[in-house]
Amino acid sequence: MPRKLSTYLKETYGEKIYRLSLSSGCTCPNRDGSIITPDGKKLTKGCTFCSEQGSGEFAAKIAPIAVQIEDAKARIRQKTDAKSFIAYFQSYTNTYGDVGRLSKLYNETADRDDIKILSLGTRPDCLGDDVMEMLVALNRKKPVWVELGLQTIHEETARKVDRGYELKVFEDAYKRLKEAGITVIVHVILGLPGETKDDMLSSVKYLAELDPVLDGIKIQNLQILKGTSVYDDYMREPFPVMSMEEYTDLVRDCIALLPKETVVHRMTGDGPRRLLEAPLWSLDKKRVLNMLNKKCNEIIS
């Protein structure tokens, strides 16, 4: 059966390892107008579900990386005496920009004894040869996880949410990353407008059948956040949003498809209370996780 991230980390490192949400100062190619769709549309607002913070509401504010890390550690140590951490660069596209600057930033981070893993959220169309060289060199220092925001395998949905690349781009990036020995984690969103349960399950089934096998997956529900295009669409013409019962049942079905080698990094998401329009049940993360754990107990360790 698949393992939760906490189980994997405890088995691999022998201790709890906590995630530090950090900021690299990058932007995104579908925010700066670099991507023009086949119908001539210039993308400047990011994916329709992505907030102004690039899905990094909980990430540190831009500051020297040593300051970001110490500030993030201080917040975590209000609850735990953790000594080992994952440096998670979450918001926007963290392999997009000047590679020299990024290499310096990530090497400074990886050189720290308290950082055990470097995790970079990015897009599959932002992994040029120079970026790949940087990732391979970093991976010799510390394990590097590359997190790819796929969200769905369905091209029609991808166009609707302004993802800005086709599935074949993901497939090429995945192959190159795996050949380079890089750990790959893929993000999937359940509940994108217009998708059926079968559509969502087929995205996860596709990932479950990847060769080489997928290292990790993050599953979350669609968050309708104020300031996003999907929020505007929802307020203009509301579309169905899953109930907690429906969502947790679907996550259980998704996890049941995964091979035992794939680590489940996330099963739900919780948007900022001040921005979240729906689903409001996701704000009660403890309750959602309890329900997920109860339903998935027999299929995940």
Side-chain angles (χ1 to χ4, degrees):
M1 62 176 67
R3 290 170 291 172
K4 295 178 185 176
L5 177 61
S6 57
T7 302
Y8 166 79
L9 291 172
K10 192 70 180 290
E11 290 175 354
T12 305
Y13 293 92
E15 63 178 319
K16 276 196 170 185
I17 299 183
Y18 290 80
R19 184 184 292 111
L20 305 177
S21 293
L22 308 172
S23 298
S24 68
C26 292
T27 182
C28 195
N30 65 350
R31 286 180 176 273
D32 65 9
S34 298
I35 295 177
I36 300 176
T37 65
D39 61 358
K41 179 181 178 182
K42 183 181 289 189
L43 300 182
T44 58
K45 295 183 179 180
C47 299
T48 62
F49 51 79
C50 194
S51 67
E52 291 182 6
Q53 285 72 40
S55 296
E57 281 76 19
F58 304 112
K61 295 182 179 179
I62 297 296
I65 194 60
V67 174
Q68 289 191 48
I69 290 172
E70 292 306 320
D71 286 350
K73 284 167 59 176
R75 288 192 294 273
I76 286 176
R77 283 179 172 158
Q78 294 174 2
K79 302 177 181 179
T80 176
D81 61 350
K83 297 178 177 61
S84 298
F85 304 93
I86 300 168
Y88 180 31
F89 292 89
Q90 175 184 16
S91 51
Y92 302 106
T93 301
N94 294 285
T95 60
Y96 184 60
D98 181 79
V99 176
R101 182 186 75 84
L102 293 175
S103 180
K104 181 179 179 182
L105 172 68
Y106 297 146
N107 273 285
E108 181 180 347
T109 306
D111 284 340
R112 295 176 60 108
D113 291 338
D114 53 353
I115 299 298
K116 305 303 180 185
I117 299 163
L118 195 66
S119 188
L120 308 178
T122 190
R123 296 166 54 93
D125 55 352
C126 294
L127 294 166
D129 291 343
D130 52 351
V131 170
M132 290 298 298
E133 289 177 11
M134 175 186 71
L135 295 175
V136 169
L138 285 167
N139 200 40
R140 295 192 190 106
K141 286 187 175 184
K142 296 281 175 71
V144 171
W145 296 351
V146 170
E147 304 197 19
L148 298 177
L150 177 64
Q151 320 308 356
T152 179
I153 64 167
H154 303 290
E155 300 289 13
E156 182 178 354
T157 307
R159 287 191 292 271
K160 286 180 179 177
V161 301
D162 288 342
R163 189 178 67 186
Y165 67 84
E166 296 180 346
L167 184 62
K168 62 185 178 182
V169 176
F170 166 83
E171 292 172 338
D172 176 65
Y174 183 80
K175 179 182 178 182
R176 289 187 295 116
L177 286 165
K178 293 297 291 181
E179 287 177 347
I182 305 294
T183 295
V184 181
I185 301 155
V186 177
H187 293 223
V188 174
I189 293 179
L190 305 181
L192 290 171
E195 290 208 340
T196 65
K197 177 180 177 180
D198 285 343
D199 290 334
M200 298 175 229
L201 287 172
S202 64
S203 287
V204 176
K205 187 172 186 294
Y206 164 88
L207 294 174
E209 295 176 351
L210 285 173
D211 183 21
V213 69
L214 179 63
D215 298 298
I217 188 170
K218 284 189 173 180
I219 302 170
Q220 74 169 69
N221 51 300
L222 176 67
Q223 303 282 307
I224 300 176
L225 302 176
K226 296 179 177 68
T228 64
S229 297
V230 77
Y231 170 83
D232 295 337
D233 293 341
Y234 182 76
M235 298 306 290
R236 182 170 54 250
E237 187 174 348
F239 50 83
V241 176
M242 282 184 281
S243 68
M244 182 167 65
E245 188 76 26
E246 290 171 325
Y247 178 75
T248 51
D249 283 346
L250 182 55
V251 171
R252 177 196 59 208
D253 294 343
C254 288
I255 291 174
L257 296 170
L258 298 172
K260 61 183 178 61
E261 296 89 350
T262 300
V263 175
V264 179
H265 288 241
R266 179 193 293 156
M267 294 190 289
T268 184
D270 54 333
R273 186 178 296 271
R274 62 185 176 83
L275 297 179
L276 185 66
E277 178 68 26
L280 294 179
W281 54 257
S282 66
L283 292 172
D284 192 351
K285 193 168 185 178
K286 184 176 181 180
R287 182 172 171 231
V288 179
L289 287 174
N290 285 341
M291 184 174 287
L292 283 166
N293 290 332
K294 182 177 179 181
K295 290 185 177 183
C296 301
N297 184 52
E298 294 183 359
I299 58 174
I300 189 170
S301 61

